[in-house]
Amino acid sequence: MPFALLLLGLAVFAQGTSEFMLSGLVPDIARDLGVSVPAAGALTSAFAAGMVVGAPLVAGLARRWSRRGALSAFLVVFLAVHVVGALTGSFEVLLATRVVGALANAGFLAVALVAAAGMVPADAKGRATSTLLGGVTLACVAGVPAGALLGGLWGWRTAFWAVALLSLPALVAVAWSVPGGTAEGAPPALRGELRSLRSPRLVVTLLLGALVNGATFCTFTYLAPLVTEVTGLGSGWVPGVLALFGAGSFVGVTAAGRFADRSPVPLLAGGGVAACVGWCLLALGAGHPVLALGLVFAQGALSFGVGSTLIAQALYAAPGAPTLAGGFATAAFNVGAALGPWAGGTAIGAGFGYRSPVWVSAGLIALAGVVAGVVWRQRARLADRDALRR
């Protein structure tokens, strides 16, 4: 993999840390800024909403920028809003910085996906995607626990300063290493890109991505109460369990990168079935610590392995819309990241207990399998019909 691609992963690491770190900082933010905990929790929702709306919108605006210029601009904005967030005493200003930061993050990731694909041969998009998304998984392993630790020791503002400082070397690295032009010279016409987005293959891939990511974050969001209330481990185990899930995620995207380009269908089919079975086993066996910890690692690997493969397939499915495809893939996965926790929280609120989000995750993966099966049968039927006509 090109060294520039690894440097892009550093920027994604910083941004992934920012996206997930608030889970351990919300009570301190609420207390410091004089708002309720649910109000402070809206900071996470604001970031997710900014990612969903911003990914296709900002990616579309950046189509005619150079890759280096777009990535640098998004990083400068991302860094600046974290400095403002670290300094402000106003909750409203902090909320606004989360929305703007999410827009910059969404635009960066959408362009970075295309830039990464342009740095490798045409048949290596899967490996490029997995390398880039390795930054997100490392954020789960190291960035988020480190942010929580910094916040606990020196206040939540320290975590914001840390993300800003992490973004500085990433900005220098992008300016130094990323090629200046677009991936293919002049970008396709916007109308042509929008037409390419109507590809049934792309639409199905994005839907599957939203369902898979919804399943992932449905359980990931409620791992802490699952571990303490069902598995019976102390609260001190929670950071380690979250890091264990992140470690599995890193293994998953790394392994998927080796097979996503050559054998995507077997990987998606086998990984999807294994993920569904794994969520069911975790729901049933969450009361047994050794089994639960092993499954947390395995589900991190399966979820992110399948998810990164779907992102690569979205890029393959829309060669005529390189930038917008990356933007819509980012948006689809963040739709799942927003709806999954909501579905899990609804199940808990209905009185089904802390195992219920895991069952919801299994159901979402099963639904993805049904959608894929229906599409496959429809394609087979159309292929048979065309063969008979010939």
Side-chain angles (χ1 to χ4, degrees):
M1 288 289 105
F3 184 62
L5 186 50
L6 300 178
L7 297 176
L8 284 179
L10 172 64
V12 172
F13 169 75
Q15 294 172 353
T17 298
S18 174
E19 181 175 4
F20 302 129
M21 71 181 181
L22 288 191
S23 59
L25 304 176
V26 164
D28 290 341
I29 292 174
R31 185 166 49 252
D32 186 34
L33 300 183
V35 298
S36 67
V37 169
L43 294 169
T44 300
S45 301
F47 198 96
M51 288 288 287
V52 171
V53 175
L57 177 63
V58 181
L61 293 175
R63 290 171 61 256
R64 294 191 176 276
W65 300 358
S66 73
R67 302 290 185 229
R68 183 193 303 149
L71 293 171
S72 298
F74 290 137
L75 267 178
V76 167
V77 173
F78 185 80
L79 189 158
V81 297
H82 279 78
V83 171
V84 173
L87 293 172
T88 187
S90 165
F91 176 75
E92 290 74 17
V93 172
L94 183 61
L95 183 65
T97 66
R98 295 307 287 170
V99 175
V100 176
L103 292 174
N105 186 2
F108 183 92
L109 187 56
V111 176
L113 284 169
V114 184
M119 294 177 190
V120 298
D123 59 350
K125 290 184 173 65
R127 287 192 66 192
T129 299
S130 67
T131 301
L132 194 65
L133 295 183
V136 177
T137 63
L138 287 177
C140 295
V141 176
V144 175
L149 179 62
L150 288 174
L153 291 175
W154 296 298
W156 63 269
R157 297 175 190 274
T158 311
F160 279 70
W161 282 116
V163 170
L165 290 175
L166 268 177
S167 300
L168 274 175
L171 177 59
V172 173
V174 166
W176 171 62
S177 64
V178 175
T182 60
E184 299 86 12
L190 180 59
R191 184 177 298 177
E193 286 214 35
L194 292 173
R195 192 181 304 116
S196 295
L197 293 178
R198 296 201 297 265
S199 159
R201 178 185 170 190
L202 176 63
V203 172
V204 171
T205 301
L206 296 180
L207 175 58
L208 294 178
L211 290 171
V212 168
N213 217 39
T216 301
F217 283 94
C218 180
T219 295
F220 179 74
T221 303
Y222 300 103
L223 266 182
L226 182 73
V227 167
T228 56
E229 302 299 327
V230 180
T231 308
L233 299 175
S235 58
W237 279 81
V238 172
V241 173
L242 294 175
L244 185 65
F245 185 91
S249 303
F250 181 75
V251 170
V253 296
T254 302
R258 297 180 178 276
F259 303 102
D261 298 303
R262 291 176 293 166
S263 308
V265 174
L267 193 156
L268 291 172
V273 170
C276 185
V277 171
W279 289 128
C280 292
L281 290 175
L282 181 58
L284 294 170
H288 303 279
V290 174
L291 177 61
L293 293 176
L295 286 169
V296 164
F297 178 87
Q299 291 306 103
L302 289 168
S303 297
F304 275 79
V306 171
S308 65
T309 302
L310 285 168
I311 290 180
Q313 288 304 300
L315 298 179
Y316 278 120
T323 306
L324 291 183
F328 274 86
T330 302
F333 275 73
N334 278 279
V335 166
L339 293 181
W342 170 81
T346 300
I348 293 173
F352 293 113
Y354 290 117
R355 295 177 193 254
S356 58
V358 190
W359 285 116
V360 173
S361 293
L364 290 172
I365 293 290
L367 179 58
V370 170
V371 170
V374 169
V375 171
W376 181 81
R377 289 188 61 185
Q378 184 66 21
R379 281 185 177 178
R381 189 177 302 159
L382 291 175
D384 289 343
R385 186 181 303 169
D386 290 342
L388 288 174
R389 286 176 178 173
R390 292 172 188 169

